Amino acid sequence: DADVTQTPRNRITKTGKRIMLECSQTKGHDRMYWYRQDPGLGLRLIYYSFDVKDINKGEISDGYSVSRQAQAKFSLSLESAIPNQTALYFCATSPGGPGNEKLFFGSGTQLSVL
Amino acid sequence: RKEVEQDPGPFNVPEGATVAFNCTYSNSASQSFFWYRQDCRKEPKLLMSVYSSGNEDGRFTAQLNRASQYISLLIRDSKLSDSATYLCVVNFNKFYFGSGTKLNVKP
């Protein structure tokens, strides 16, 4: 079983629809992240959370919101999807702390907004 | 200016070749450094952390030069299975990713 699980793996939706991408982890890590990846641009941080009561914006948070329902769950919502949100989305976790900054990724969600 | 910059490649090399990638970062206070490997449309996976003293893992050697703010990855005796995109990652409170260097190892 994957340690970091993302659902769905693929999603096609229409402009204006509300979409939720879900992420759950069994690694027991406090830190969770949402990234999007576009060809040639690398991974860009959308939101991150260092514990259940902590939510922080990343570099491209406009048009997105998140919810940290529990230590193990971190969901990403697109309130009104638009075509330029078509991308590959990754959830990641990290144990955090000095010497523990490694990231562990889910398998990704390919989102297409038509 | 991007926080982390890499040559996008592609680097096309024959099997058995030695290939090196470099990466530069802009924040001199960056704390941790990594190389990740990403196969097409898959999640990035940690290849190795990078330390100032340099570190080696089999055919892979990573180096960090803090004075010049660059990180390198050397792959010796390239295998077909090394074909992938290699991401340079720098941590300063958050993780900053380079856009990746694509490697194609040819038979």
Side-chain angles (χ1 to χ4, degrees):
Chain A
D1 287 342
D3 294 321
V4 184
T5 303
Q6 290 183 234
T7 56
R9 292 295 306 275
N10 292 281
R11 182 73 184 268
I12 300 173
T13 192
K14 293 183 179 179
T15 298
K17 294 290 188 182
R18 185 178 188 274
I19 296 297
M20 180 181 287
L21 308 183
E22 306 210 34
C23 177
S24 63
Q25 52 117 346
T26 59
K27 299 186 80 68
H29 293 166
D30 286 327
R31 302 185 178 192
M32 297 188 75
Y33 306 80
W34 275 105
Y35 291 91
R36 68 176 276 177
Q37 186 173 35
D38 299 274
L41 292 180
L43 277 80
R44 293 182 292 167
L45 182 62
I46 306 172
Y47 270 96
Y48 61 104
S49 168
F50 283 2
D51 67 40
V52 175
K53 297 179 182 178
D54 178 68
I55 299 290
N56 304 282
K57 291 183 177 181
E59 57 185 306
I60 54 162
S61 59
D62 286 350
Y64 300 95
S65 62
V66 290
S67 174
R68 184 81 185 265
Q69 303 95 320
Q71 187 208 36
K73 295 183 182 296
F74 191 37
S75 58
L76 175 72
S77 294
L78 287 68
E79 298 301 325
S80 179
I82 56 177
N84 76 3
Q85 291 177 312
T86 293
L88 183 55
Y89 289 83
F90 287 107
C91 173
T93 73
S94 172
N100 261 333
E101 299 91 349
K102 301 180 181 70
L103 282 171
F104 299 86
F105 287 88
S107 299
T109 296
Q110 176 62 56
L111 176 66
S112 298
V113 183
L114 305 179
Chain B
R1 183 183 174 187
K2 290 183 180 179
E3 295 282 347
V4 180
E5 302 215 41
Q6 295 181 248
D7 181 344
F11 285 62
N12 299 307
V13 303
E15 271 187 292
T18 295
V19 61
F21 308 137
N22 289 327
C23 158
T24 58
Y25 60 95
S26 62
N27 191 332
S28 61
S30 297
Q31 299 157 331
S32 308
F33 310 87
F34 309 90
W35 283 102
Y36 277 73
R37 171 195 167 122
Q38 185 176 26
D39 294 289
C40 188
R41 312 302 289 172
K42 299 284 185 68
E43 73 273 23
K45 293 185 178 178
L46 179 65
L47 180 65
M48 57 199 307
S49 301
V50 188
Y51 305 112
S52 297
S53 55
N55 47 302
E56 187 174 309
D57 182 3
R59 297 181 294 107
F60 299 84
T61 301
Q63 293 277 355
L64 167 64
N65 185 318
R66 284 189 183 270
S68 301
Q69 295 180 209
Y70 80 80
I71 306 153
S72 64
L73 177 67
L74 182 77
I75 306 175
R76 291 181 300 276
D77 189 22
S78 299
K79 310 292 185 190
L80 295 176
S81 58
D82 293 333
S83 296
T85 296
Y86 291 83
L87 306 176
C88 175
V89 183
V90 172
N91 181 280
F92 176 68
N93 297 325
K94 292 180 287 189
F95 293 89
Y96 296 92
F97 286 78
S99 55
T101 298
K102 187 171 176 59
L103 173 64
N104 295 317
V105 182
K106 307 288 189 181

